[in-house]
Amino acid sequence: MVYKVQPDDDLVPTYGSRAMSQAIPRNSLPDDGVNPRTAYQLIHDELMLDGNARLNLATFVTTWMEPEAERLMAEAFDKNLIDRDEYPQTAEFETRCVNMLARLFNTPEDDDAVGTSTAGSSEAVMLAGMALEWRWRARQEAAGVTASRPNLVLGANVQVVWEKFCRYWNVEPRYIPIRENCYVSTPAQVLERIDNNTIGVVTTLGTTFTGEFDPVEAIHDAVVEDNSRQGRAVPLHVDAASGGFVAPFIHPDLRWDFRLPNVVSINVSGHKYGLVYPGVGWALWRGREYLPDDLVFHVNYLGGDLPTFTLNFSRSANPVVGQYYNFLRLGHSGYTRIMTALNRVATDLSSRIAQLGPFELLSDGSAIPVFAFRLKDSSRYSVYDISRQLRIHGWQVPAYNLPADAGHIDVLRIVVKEGFSRDMADMLMNHLTQAVRMLEDAPPGSPSVGDSGFHHG
Ligand SMILES: *Cc1c(COP(=O)(O)O)cnc(C)c1O
């Protein structure tokens, strides 16, 4: 369709302009533009169909920040994080954040912790995984054996980024299946899969599927003992994408981090419980020796010597500014108060859901404020029907099935985040109760029941 634009007169009412009564260009660059007010309104209106991020209980990613943080982040949109010489103060904030996190994760005093900000945990995982592989390769070469078939031991409950890491870098994944009533890995299952080609063991602090913690310390101790028995040096990486900003505040005695001597690297998402809008993660190594030198590049074309270990180059500085704002604004006590409140809202909501009757909890939200639940009987309606019913009220509560060997279990999951209050939980509870009542009253085979779908409403 040919679309001709007349320059809009400033006096034309917004919805009186030509662009508002014609189809807009969708797939090819228009010949001419429209005025900023019209462009804003058109796009703003289309985005209304996205739904409300605050009702999105599916995502782990931050959907609310304080107005002061938003203002600071907007002020930093134009800064490229990689230009450390041009923006030394922004670079300084990144370094401060790395240091604060290293201490939060109990890096040994005498070690010089290293780390970097990333686009998210996915990039951090790629970097940490590469470091594991490089160090394994060096160990193999030092021992005079071939380093050609690396493998990684990990739970079937890992986030998809680990599958990507293995595929992209040609590392054999050795998955530990989960099963009914045990949705995390056990030390024995880990040891069964380790051999001389194992580059590392991945444990998850806050699994994507149920929000539970892998028993990191027990797995760590078993691997350490196995290493000394077998004369190996297999290290652990902890994927603390979500749990890294929860455990230090509400489970301070849980030993999962650099307090465990064979944990060599940790990733955490600043944009999950670090409470920053999308765009920031962190990778941390126990010390310099755990980050092989030849993975770090030095560039000088921005002025000065710039060590870089990231997959991408240019990136907005604003999420790092947002992260530093949160650290300064909240401090240890502020994060503790928020995580305590989220824990209370999540465990209270999960117990009320359990009491409702038809549901059974797989987890209760006490590890991180995330829990999953299933239907005791799904012969008349499914968790997918429940999810669709909640969507009518705007709530996004995902329904999905678990990974192997628990693939027959369909669950719903709720991620409680900052901005989700007890009052909102009450409203959700009302809608969930209504949905159950409606589905139970609907005669079997009626259009609102079953996978044929509920398409009206
Ligand atoms: C979210 C998540 C990831 C991926 O993190 P992004 O920050 O979204 O890139 C990896 N692992 C776990 C356990 C996660 O929860």
Side-chain angles (χ1 to χ4, degrees):
M1 174 171 321
V2 181
Y3 179 76
K4 277 275 170 215
V5 188
Q6 300 293 326
D8 266 342
D9 186 322
D10 271 351
L11 294 178
V12 175
T14 302
Y15 288 93
S17 73
R18 286 167 53 85
M20 290 298 186
S21 59
Q22 293 187 357
I24 69 162
R26 290 200 153 75
N27 300 312
S28 53
L29 188 69
D31 292 335
D32 301 299
V34 293
N35 77 27
R37 192 182 56 179
T38 305
Y40 172 85
Q41 199 65 46
L42 281 167
I43 294 172
H44 173 89
D45 292 357
E46 286 210 19
L47 287 173
M48 290 193 302
L49 295 180
D50 271 349
N52 188 331
R54 296 283 303 284
L55 300 180
N56 181 354
L57 305 183
T59 182
F60 282 74
V61 173
T62 300
T63 50
W64 185 84
M65 284 184 83
E66 290 180 330
E68 290 79 3
E70 293 183 343
R71 196 160 85 223
L72 272 176
M73 288 172 74
E75 289 167 15
F77 265 125
D78 56 352
K79 293 186 187 171
N80 188 353
L81 189 63
I82 203 81
D83 293 349
R84 288 195 173 79
D85 281 299
E86 282 77 2
Y87 310 120
Q89 210 50 39
T90 305
E92 164 71 16
F93 286 160
E94 184 186 8
T95 305
R96 289 182 197 172
C97 288
V98 167
N99 288 335
M100 286 184 188
L101 281 169
R103 285 180 174 81
L104 187 66
F105 297 162
N106 295 292
T107 181
E109 288 283 339
D110 49 350
D111 264 329
D112 177 20
V114 285
T116 180
S117 78
T118 58
S121 274
S122 300
E123 185 186 6
V125 158
M126 296 291 168
L127 302 178
M130 279 193 285
L132 291 177
E133 191 184 344
W134 257 247
R135 290 187 58 240
W136 164 78
R137 217 171 275 288
R139 284 198 299 277
Q140 295 294 88
E141 277 159 19
V145 286
T146 51
S148 59
R149 297 186 46 79
N151 69 67
L152 184 66
V153 174
L154 67 181
N157 58 2
V158 289
Q159 211 260 2
V160 63
V161 64
W162 288 102
E163 297 175 46
K164 291 189 189 172
F165 168 77
C166 290
R167 183 97 43 99
Y168 297 169
W169 268 267
N170 228 340
V171 170
E172 176 204 344
R174 297 204 168 159
Y175 291 116
I176 297 161
I178 57 170
R179 56 177 190 272
E180 187 138 7
N181 297 321
C182 180
Y183 309 104
V184 294
S185 306
T186 65
Q189 290 174 310
V190 170
L191 295 193
E192 281 165 18
R193 289 166 177 78
I194 294 181
D195 63 20
N196 289 337
N197 291 327
T198 302
I199 64 171
V201 171
V202 176
T203 53
T204 304
L205 199 75
T207 72
T208 310
F209 298 95
T210 63
E212 292 168 291
F213 295 152
D214 273 336
V216 181
E217 185 174 14
I219 291 174
H220 170 272
D221 293 352
V223 170
V224 167
E225 203 199 301
D226 189 59
N227 277 345
S228 72
R229 221 177 17 237
Q230 311 281 352
R232 295 193 192 115
V234 176
L236 265 79
H237 172 88
V238 182
D239 180 349
S242 54
F245 273 111
V246 178
F249 303 110
I250 60 171
H251 309 292
D253 297 329
L254 185 75
R255 288 160 50 86
W256 62 274
D257 54 16
F258 293 128
R259 279 169 290 183
L260 304 175
N262 198 31
V263 167
V264 299
S265 48
I266 295 173
N267 68 277
V268 62
S269 294
H271 55 213
K272 291 185 177 173
Y273 290 107
L275 309 176
V276 183
Y277 286 138
V280 65
W282 302 93
L284 291 127
W285 288 267
R286 170 171 207 98
R288 284 224 172 267
E289 66 271 36
Y290 299 95
L291 178 58
D293 261 348
D294 52 355
L295 286 176
V296 181
F297 290 81
H298 295 264
V299 300
N300 59 11
Y301 38 74
L302 294 172
D305 174 54
L306 177 74
T308 132
F309 180 36
T310 50
L311 296 182
N312 58 316
F313 195 66
S314 299
R315 187 153 66 84
S316 171
N318 81 24
V320 167
V321 171
Q323 186 78 80
Y324 187 64
Y325 170 86
N326 280 349
F327 286 169
L328 186 67
R329 149 82 179 110
L330 298 171
H332 202 284
S333 68
Y335 271 99
T336 304
R337 288 178 76 142
I338 292 167
M339 297 310 149
T340 304
L342 298 185
N343 170 276
R344 197 168 297 150
V345 171
T347 53
D348 174 79
L349 181 60
S350 72
S351 79
R352 284 193 287 162
I353 288 174
Q355 282 159 24
L356 204 56
F359 300 109
E360 180 184 309
L361 300 180
L362 282 78
S363 53
D364 65 359
S366 58
I368 58 172
V370 171
F371 60 93
F373 52 106
R374 68 197 281 197
L375 276 168
K376 291 176 189 161
D377 168 14
S378 53
S379 59
R380 278 168 52 89
Y381 59 94
S382 69
V383 289
Y384 303 94
D385 295 317
I386 301 267
S387 179
R388 275 193 289 270
Q389 288 292 327
L390 291 174
R391 190 76 174 87
I392 295 169
H393 301 283
W395 301 107
Q396 298 182 47
V397 176
Y400 54 90
N401 71 320
L402 297 179
D405 291 337
H408 59 287
I409 302 178
D410 296 309
V411 301
L412 292 155
R413 186 193 63 200
I414 289 177
V415 177
V416 173
K417 293 185 292 288
E418 192 184 20
F420 186 76
S421 59
R422 162 69 196 239
D423 182 52
M424 289 174 76
D426 288 348
M427 293 190 284
L428 174 68
M429 202 56 212
N430 283 342
H431 289 143
L432 181 63
T433 311
Q434 263 179 40
V436 165
R437 208 166 287 147
M438 206 224 97
L439 289 164
E440 284 182 353
D441 289 348
S446 75
S448 58
V449 176
D451 278 344
S452 58
F454 181 81
H455 298 299
H456 44 88

